[in-house]
Amino acid sequence: VLYDQYYGMEKEVVTGIVQRVMGKNVSVNLGKAEATLMAGEQIKGEEYKVNTRMKFYVVEVKDLPKGPKILLSRSRPELVKRLFEAEVAEIKDGTVEIKAVSRAAGSRSKIAVISNDPNVDAVGACIGTQKSRINAVTKELKGEKVDVVLWSEDLEEFIKQALKPAEVLRVVITNPDPKKKECKAIVPDNQLSLAIGNKGQNALLAAKLTNCKIDIKAESKVTPEDLIVTEYVPEEPAEEAPAEAEAPAGSSAEE
């Protein structure tokens, strides 16, 4: 019965109370069952004090003879997505859609959103009046910064959005191969450090969000070679060799 109850919560967010710390792992009380927050699923530097109430992402629920084994996470990008879904009414009703999430747990996240209603501002809906909605998510993540950006089908525009808060002058897709997407993002000289971010974090999160390798260049350092685009030639499926026709029975090759 417990397994059936908690299996339905897999891939969702639950509220639990830290029960005890077992070496590097943390035991969490979910009410009717006990769950485990493994070391690899914790946010680096976050404290898990006994009796602290927190939200967790349910990674997996296993059915074992002694009862369900529930594995939790605080570090996965899905936690950020689920927290916004719970906080933003427009996401719940499908007006606003989260298209992608990238995360450096405990430090910074980026989410890309789009509105299915031209009268609704997707980014504004996620931020909320006086930043009320995004602040609620940040508070739950113990101060982790979250950038909400606008998703676009146009990869160049999406990359410009993903690199915010930096201003991007131009994006050149240098390798359009869907499996190895690469680009050059050209920024004003005074925006270079902002675009790259502390320890390269802004650039890394933008690359994960867009699934594209991003090389950021200061405007004064751009060379003609930086603007060269690799021609993309789609791979053609291998053709099957035609089957050899069988000679009719009783006939010879000469015939």
Side-chain angles (χ1 to χ4, degrees):
V1 171
L2 279 175
Y3 170 75
D4 289 341
Q5 180 181 342
Y6 284 99
Y7 180 74
M9 297 179 182
E10 201 173 70
K11 313 303 180 190
E12 298 295 336
V13 167
V14 295
T15 300
I17 298 173
V18 176
Q19 194 162 297
R20 62 183 180 277
V21 178
M22 310 169 295
K24 292 184 178 180
N25 298 334
V26 178
S27 173
V28 179
N29 183 358
L30 298 181
K32 295 181 180 179
E34 190 174 309
T36 304
L37 179 68
M38 306 290 283
E41 298 291 348
Q42 297 171 19
I43 295 176
K44 188 177 180 181
E46 187 171 67
E47 289 187 54
Y48 301 99
K49 295 180 180 179
V50 176
N51 294 328
T52 301
R53 183 181 293 271
M54 306 175 83
K55 284 186 168 63
F56 303 88
Y57 176 74
V58 182
V59 177
E60 188 178 15
V61 180
K62 296 180 180 178
D63 190 12
L64 301 179
K66 293 182 179 180
K69 183 177 181 180
I70 306 167
L71 301 176
L72 306 176
S73 177
R74 282 279 296 171
S75 63
R76 297 204 179 195
E78 291 87 349
L79 175 61
V80 178
K81 182 179 181 182
R82 290 286 184 257
L83 289 175
F84 271 99
E85 288 173 348
E87 197 66 39
V88 182
E90 291 83 351
I91 295 177
K92 287 180 186 176
D93 64 22
T95 304
V96 173
E97 187 180 346
I98 296 176
K99 300 290 286 186
V101 182
S102 61
R103 188 180 184 200
S107 181
R108 192 173 187 176
S109 292
K110 285 181 182 283
I111 71 165
V113 295
I114 190 172
S115 175
N116 295 315
D117 183 340
N119 297 316
V120 175
D121 174 10
V123 174
C126 292
I127 293 173
T129 307
Q130 295 182 335
K131 298 186 177 181
S132 58
R133 291 172 169 176
I134 197 169
N135 284 346
V137 173
T138 299
K139 183 179 178 181
E140 184 56 50
L141 298 174
K142 309 300 181 189
E144 180 175 317
K145 186 178 180 182
V146 182
D147 297 331
V148 183
V149 303
L150 195 61
W151 183 86
S152 175
E153 287 185 353
D154 183 323
L155 183 58
E156 293 178 20
E157 180 58 32
F158 187 24
I159 290 165
K160 285 183 179 181
Q161 292 290 325
L163 284 169
K164 285 187 173 181
E167 175 194 350
V168 180
L169 299 173
R170 183 182 175 188
V171 173
V172 179
I173 307 298
T174 53
N175 187 351
D177 184 342
K179 296 179 181 177
K180 303 174 184 176
K181 289 184 289 187
E182 296 180 10
C183 77
K184 290 277 195 313
I186 301 165
V187 301
D189 289 32
N190 63 354
Q191 296 276 303
L192 183 62
S193 59
L194 184 62
I196 295 171
N198 185 27
K199 298 180 180 178
Q201 195 174 82
N202 192 56
L204 181 62
L205 289 174
K208 286 182 179 179
L209 195 71
T210 58
N211 193 30
C212 179
K213 184 178 178 182
I214 303 174
D215 182 10
I216 300 172
K217 301 279 290 190
E219 186 179 14
S220 64
K221 302 293 183 182
V222 175
T223 65
E225 287 75 20
D226 291 323
L227 307 180
I228 295 174
V229 178
T230 303
E231 186 178 355
Y232 171 56
V233 180
E235 293 182 8
E236 294 185 5
E239 294 183 5
E240 293 184 8
E244 293 183 7
E246 294 184 5
S251 66
S252 66
E254 290 179 1
E255 292 174 342

